[in-house]
Amino acid sequence: MAYPMPDRPLGVCLIGTGFMGKCHAMAWRNVATVFGGAHPRLEILCDTPADRAEAFAAQFGFARGMADWQAAIADPAVDVVSITTPNALHRPMAEAALEAGKHVWLEKPMALSLADAEAMAALAARHPAQVTILGYNYTRSPAYQEARRLVSSGAIGVPHSFRGVYDEDYSADPDLPWSWRMTREGGGLGALGDLGCHLVSQMTGLMGPVAEVTAITATPIAARPSPEGVKPVENDDTAHAILRFASGATGSFATSRIAPGRKCRLQWEIHGSEGTILFDQENMNELWLHRRGAPGLTRLLSGPEQPDFAAFCPAPGHNFGFNEQKVIEARDLSCAIAGGPNPGPDFAAGLSIERIIHAMAASGGRPVALT
């Protein structure tokens, strides 16, 4: 499939040099190699202090490093801003970029609060010439895209049940030091905002809108050590929910950041009237399919017949990876800037994800209607 690309190289500003900052840098450096078009101009790498920004600019291949993010966003050489900073900076940076006439690639979660997300979506709606896209990279894997195709084509009939989990163990150690991620002011929601939103992005892509949630959250590790003494954890370690979709289908949802041994268990299954589909991100190159009348499940290995795989590798069974998903995300953003479709989620679609996870956080075991 051919994708429209910008008619001139995009000037890129990347803010942040952590895990996701490096992912964005690799994606921008590789997008034209994989999908064609003009190579982006890597203009500004922004971080603090300035010497750190300059060092990472040299490592990541950016022309300049600077510490002043407002000046970086306003720079006339910049067309698109990649934001990979801590959550509390998402809203001010994204809004500044939109108001400066820049396109925005923002890592999830969209914002600290639902009110912030609503304000950001409203601002984006007032700047229709600016493209926004959120970093829900797991929706870019060939296996997931193939699963969407199978569901929409009726391969498993009418979906009537969804079961999904997203578990990791990065906070499972009770001696792990307290950090900004564990505060409302710095991190917003906990496991729901960091992990659960990814599960929601896949779930709604497969099952459609959510009509109602009933959820409970918990914080089993209620306090963490810090140099200033023990500090409370303000947001959720775990969340569990039951759901009703607008289609009438039902579902279950669970997420945890304190699940010992789990690294990236983004796992779901859909039961339909004519079959079942299963997926697990820890085995992201496998999709399992059952059709009525078959003796069991069939393993579908990722390969060039699935969307976007062939652009990276022509051979089936050769594994796709995490960073390749980010390259596809950069392609989708570039395509939308050139006037092509935006598969999103943009800020409007991202707001619907935020509404679901914030409804779960607020439920307290009571049903919350969403549509």
Side-chain angles (χ1 to χ4, degrees):
M1 178 179 179
Y3 294 90
M5 299 297 274
D7 57 7
R8 63 180 181 83
L10 292 171
V12 177
C13 167
L14 170 59
I15 310 177
T17 57
F19 170 31
M20 296 314 301
K22 191 171 186 178
C23 289
H24 278 231
M26 288 190 287
W28 283 120
R29 290 182 64 83
N30 287 308
V31 63
T33 301
V34 176
F35 292 107
H39 286 268
R41 291 180 290 103
L42 305 185
E43 290 288 346
I44 301 174
L45 189 286
C46 188
D47 205 339
T48 56
D51 58 351
R52 175 184 175 88
E54 291 164 1
F56 274 101
Q59 179 182 338
F60 289 177
F62 281 73
R64 294 172 281 161
M66 65 173 63
D68 185 342
W69 65 263
Q70 290 97 334
I73 288 173
D75 193 291
V78 170
D79 300 303
V80 57
V81 181
S82 281
I83 302 170
T84 69
T85 58
N87 302 348
L89 293 169
H90 286 190
R91 179 181 176 182
M93 289 181 174
E95 290 186 339
L98 287 170
E99 289 169 346
K102 317 295 184 176
H103 308 289
V104 180
W105 184 5
L106 175 64
E107 275 307 309
K108 42 57 61 186
M110 187 171 168
L112 291 177
S113 69
L114 183 57
D116 284 346
E118 289 170 342
M120 294 163 69
L123 180 63
R126 296 195 296 272
H127 290 79
Q130 272 64 66
V131 174
T132 60
I133 198 167
L134 291 159
Y136 286 101
N137 50 279
Y138 296 119
T139 63
R140 265 67 186 187
S141 79
Y144 172 77
Q145 294 183 61
E146 176 67 6
R148 284 197 69 183
R149 187 194 68 79
L150 288 168
V151 172
S152 63
S153 70
I156 61 167
V158 178
H160 57 68
S161 180
F162 175 91
R163 295 178 186 171
V165 298
Y166 191 176
D167 295 334
E168 293 198 16
D169 67 356
Y170 61 82
S171 295
D173 182 354
D175 295 324
L176 183 77
W178 177 94
S179 77
W180 60 266
R181 289 187 180 278
M182 298 163 184
T183 69
R184 292 284 185 179
E185 183 178 5
L189 299 180
L192 277 168
D194 195 26
L195 304 177
C197 61
H198 274 302
L199 178 55
V200 170
S201 73
Q202 291 206 341
M203 177 181 73
T204 53
L206 293 161
M207 301 293 293
V210 173
E212 182 181 271
V213 302
T214 304
I216 55 172
T217 62
T219 311
I221 305 176
R224 299 275 184 173
S226 79
E228 296 79 32
V230 175
K231 291 188 175 182
V233 176
E234 299 174 359
N235 50 27
D236 52 287
D237 283 334
T238 67
H240 295 78
I242 56 173
L243 310 104
R244 181 170 55 81
F245 296 94
S247 66
T250 58
S252 65
F253 168 107
T255 188
S256 173
R257 63 185 180 189
I258 58 168
R262 290 299 186 183
K263 303 306 177 186
C264 189
R265 189 198 180 197
L266 176 54
Q267 184 182 72
W268 49 259
E269 59 185 87
I270 302 172
H271 304 153
S273 59
E274 300 296 326
T276 294
I277 297 178
L278 292 81
F279 175 77
D280 186 343
Q281 179 66 26
E282 289 184 345
N283 297 287
M284 67 174 289
N285 287 280
E286 298 179 354
L287 189 66
W288 292 84
L289 173 66
H290 170 78
R291 296 178 190 262
R292 180 185 293 277
L297 293 160
T298 299
R299 183 175 69 151
L300 307 178
L301 283 176
S302 289
E305 74 283 356
Q306 293 181 344
D308 290 323
F309 189 102
F312 295 88
C313 179
H318 289 58
N319 287 351
F320 201 81
F322 180 90
N323 286 298
E324 282 84 347
Q325 296 173 133
K326 301 306 287 188
V327 177
I328 296 171
E329 212 165 74
R331 186 277 314 278
D332 288 345
L333 173 59
S334 300
C335 174
I337 290 170
N342 183 1
D346 61 8
F347 281 9
L351 176 58
S352 68
I353 295 172
E354 294 291 324
R355 284 178 172 148
I356 292 168
I357 60 173
H358 282 276
M360 290 179 183
S363 169
R366 297 179 300 275
V368 177
L370 287 145
T371 58

